[in-house]
Amino acid sequence: MYAGMNAEKVASTANGRNRRIDLRSDTVTQPTEAMREAMARAEVGDDVYGEDYTVRALEEKVAALMGKEAAVYVSSGTQSNLLGVLSHCQRGEEYLIGDVYHVFKSEALGTSVLGGVACYPMKTDAGGGLDPAQVKAGIKPDDPHSPITRLLCLENTVSGRVQDQDRIEALAETAHAAGLMVHLDGARLMNAVVKTGKPATELVRSIDTVSLCLSKGLGAPVGSVLSGPKDFIKRARRMRKMLGGGMRQAGVIAAAGLHALDHHVERLAEDHVNARRLAEGLAAIPGLTVDLDDVDTNMLFIRPQPDDIDPLRAHLAERGIVLSGQRPKIRVVTHLDVTEQDVDRVLEAVAEFYRGR
Ligand SMILES: Cc1ncc(COP(=O)(O)O)c(C=O)c1O
């Protein structure tokens, strides 16, 4: 069931005790006043002509943050990953990927539909990781019967879990030794940066190209940035234009991304603390199962009894709390618009539900 459903049924008064608390995703955040001001003040130009200096500043900032030569600003994480894969692979070639990763599961397989590129999903372990031996075995021989394996696609974080850095290095080494490139869907890479205390440059050192989302935990209303070598980014820019993703005075939205990188990175730690406290509080409520081991950054997963799911969602909706419609495991996400007090409100509302069962 789609996570976005039924949001309109949720009681929502703008402020105060009944302020709406949306736990479906970190994509639901509202731009802050300071972010809106930065957007209003942004210097803009025609970015297709390369004349939007706010977009350029954002691209240069992210390229430096990732330690890559260049970057391109795009409309979404999906577009960023699509450009990433299609700028690496030609028709009839394939990429290897974890079977729970967003590019494989949740991007309408645009890489195959639009690019004629095949994907070869491999089972990830409980932490969302792949094994170098799996990758080695997945690479096809140079034989006319087989697709040409061109790329390894990784993800970090995976369902909120930070990936083991030694494993990432080993996976990249295996891929590179076989002549593959490595792309990372780093939609929430900055959560991993804050959690590990390691700079992004270190986390993506062995990765060739990386997609970073500005509209998840970082709180911008729109936008992602794809970083990599200069020639790769040149191809991605052409591909972005082809897909209709060349934007004009995009500095208005890029300014939100710059603001997010300047002001919303360190604060991700608050989301991590809130997620942990929420998980522990929920785990203590009889009747509800919470996978505490899975709580690494800003996500947790709860498993109510199947018959409890709809009544629980309705009970919370009446109190202005939005829970996703997934089942049997429901993802709960903390973000910029979930405060410490909101965590208390959610815990109280869930406890009230189970007291009445
Ligand atoms: C891990 C991951 N990658 C990529 C995306 C795609 O981002 P967008 O929704 O901006 O296309 C998402 C979206 O939730 C995601 O969770």
Side-chain angles (χ1 to χ4, degrees), residues 173-192:
E173 199 179 312
T174 304
H176 287 146
L180 273 60
M181 300 299 269
V182 183
H183 172 75
L184 179 79
D185 177 2
R188 298 183 177 83
L189 186 72
M190 299 316 289
N191 291 83

Side-chain angles (χ1 to χ4, degrees), residues 64-124:
L65 184 68
M66 298 295 148
K68 304 299 175 202
E69 284 177 359
V72 59
Y73 180 52
V74 296
S75 62
S76 68
T78 300
Q79 190 176 68
S80 190
N81 287 322
L82 180 62
L83 298 185
V85 173
L86 298 194
S87 301
H88 282 300
C89 305
Q90 302 292 318
R91 300 184 80 77
E93 296 182 342
E94 74 166 0
Y95 60 96
L96 311 180
I97 187 164
D99 62 354
V100 298
Y101 296 171
H102 203 271
V103 174
F104 172 60
K105 271 182 67 178
S106 303
E107 299 185 2
L109 264 185
T111 51
S112 302
V113 178
L114 301 168
V117 177
C119 68
Y120 187 77
M122 296 178 296
K123 188 153 183 47
T124 54

Side-chain angles (χ1 to χ4, degrees), residues 17-66:
R17 185 154 167 75
N18 289 327
R19 197 173 62 82
R20 179 174 141 128
I21 304 170
D22 193 335
L23 300 170
R24 289 170 300 166
S25 177
D26 47 10
T27 56
V28 299
T29 55
Q30 296 284 318
T32 62
E33 280 309 314
M35 182 179 275
R36 287 172 191 267
E37 276 169 31
M39 295 170 77
R41 280 198 314 267
E43 188 192 343
V44 298
D46 190 324
D47 184 48
V48 174
Y49 294 159
E51 291 172 5
D52 190 306
Y53 297 104
T54 307
V55 171
R56 272 208 210 161
L58 175 63
E59 290 173 343
E60 280 166 20
K61 190 178 180 83
V62 176
L65 184 68
M66 298 295 148

Side-chain angles (χ1 to χ4, degrees), residues 260-275:
L261 289 169
D262 286 341
H263 300 282
H264 293 171
V265 174
E266 279 80 23
R267 66 146 309 284
L268 290 171
E270 294 168 30
D271 299 342
H272 301 173
V273 169
N274 283 338

Side-chain angles (χ1 to χ4, degrees), residues 210-286:
V210 53
S211 169
L212 174 73
C213 286
L214 302 164
S215 60
K216 308 252 164 3
L218 294 177
V222 62
S224 293
V225 182
L226 178 65
S227 305
K230 268 194 187 136
D231 58 341
F232 166 87
I233 294 299
K234 196 174 167 199
R235 289 199 297 279
R237 258 182 219 288
R238 162 175 277 275
M239 192 73 69
R240 183 184 70 168
K241 189 78 187 94
M242 198 187 296
L243 291 167
M247 296 183 280
R248 301 293 178 174
Q249 286 71 25
V252 173
I253 47 176
L258 279 168
H259 181 88
L261 289 169
D262 286 341
H263 300 282
H264 293 171
V265 174
E266 279 80 23
R267 66 146 309 284
L268 290 171
E270 294 168 30
D271 299 342
H272 301 173
V273 169
N274 283 338
R276 168 60 53 185
R277 200 161 70 80
L278 189 53
E280 287 174 356
L282 291 172
I285 296 173

